[in-house]
Amino acid sequence: MSVSVPNAQREVRALYKEDPGAAMVTDHAVTRGVDPSDPFHSVVEPMDGCGVAVPIGVHRALGGLHDAPTPGDMLCAALAACQDSSMRMVANVLGVELEFLEVRVTADVDVRGALNMSPDVPVGFQRMRCAVQFKVTEGTHPDMVKALTFAAKRCCVVQQTLKNPPQVETSFQLN
């Protein structure tokens, strides 16, 4: 089965050209712990109504059991998944055939920040690495490979968000 990204995007591109406001979408996720008194476990539904519930744990470096993906693992997963889909879609648009694709994301954090041990240690990842290994069909022109990697990096929403973070607002509501 041959899938064409340009064909799949034709109607939405025309819509967004006519009505740029229609291009604004909102992604979402929600957590609901099974046991609110359990400080080490929760469940996240990465898209309301999708039927997928991902267990979330706390990293052993923070005193948790590390028996489920941590929020940091999920952030790495989001970047890996976004870069993967960006590579696949851009390759399709450019007519570049991928024979192999693997994206591995690693991130380093000094957890003393999250443990509030020192005001000099920031809370958050200090470094992230996104390693993309891929193979294209023999004979693919090097300029096409260069265009693929440039566009795939530029089109990766998660990577661009991490590089240029948006304002984040947090509210608390006591029920």
Side-chain angles (χ1 to χ4, degrees):
M1 175 173 88
S2 179
V3 177
S4 167
V5 171
N7 287 343
Q9 292 179 346
R10 185 172 289 115
E11 287 182 28
V12 293
R13 285 177 171 272
L15 171 64
Y16 302 155
K17 188 172 185 176
E18 181 180 316
D19 179 9
M24 288 299 298
V25 299
T26 302
D27 287 341
H28 40 81
V30 63
T31 64
R32 290 195 181 88
V34 176
D35 178 1
S37 67
D38 180 352
F40 298 121
H41 298 96
S42 187
V43 174
V44 65
E45 187 175 324
M47 181 180 83
D48 291 346
C50 72
V52 174
V54 181
I56 300 295
V58 173
H59 200 287
R60 71 180 54 85
L62 296 171
L65 303 173
H66 209 164
D67 56 350
T70 68
D73 294 325
M74 295 299 287
L75 180 63
C76 290
L79 177 54
C82 191
Q83 189 61 76
D84 179 281
S85 61
S86 295
M87 282 287 289
R88 292 172 189 277
M89 291 181 71
V90 170
N92 183 277
V93 168
L94 295 175
V96 173
E97 188 176 333
L98 293 171
E99 293 184 352
F100 173 80
L101 176 61
E102 179 180 286
V103 180
R104 178 173 295 276
V105 174
T106 54
D108 303 316
V109 60
D110 183 336
V111 296
R112 293 177 301 160
L115 293 170
N116 201 26
M117 293 178 65
S118 169
D120 299 332
V121 179
V123 177
F125 288 104
Q126 285 86 37
R127 184 172 178 219
M128 294 183 81
R129 292 164 306 285
C130 183
V132 181
Q133 293 185 16
F134 68 104
K135 181 178 180 182
V136 296
T137 55
E138 190 174 327
T140 302
H141 195 280
D143 289 345
M144 293 303 287
V145 174
K146 186 176 180 179
L148 168 62
T149 58
F150 175 82
K153 189 188 309 187
R154 185 185 180 288
C155 293
C156 179
V157 172
V158 174
Q159 183 173 140
Q160 295 306 319
T161 300
L162 290 167
K163 287 182 173 184
N164 305 289
Q167 179 180 345
V168 177
E169 301 170 17
T170 302
S171 62
F172 294 89
Q173 181 178 354
L174 181 62
N175 289 339

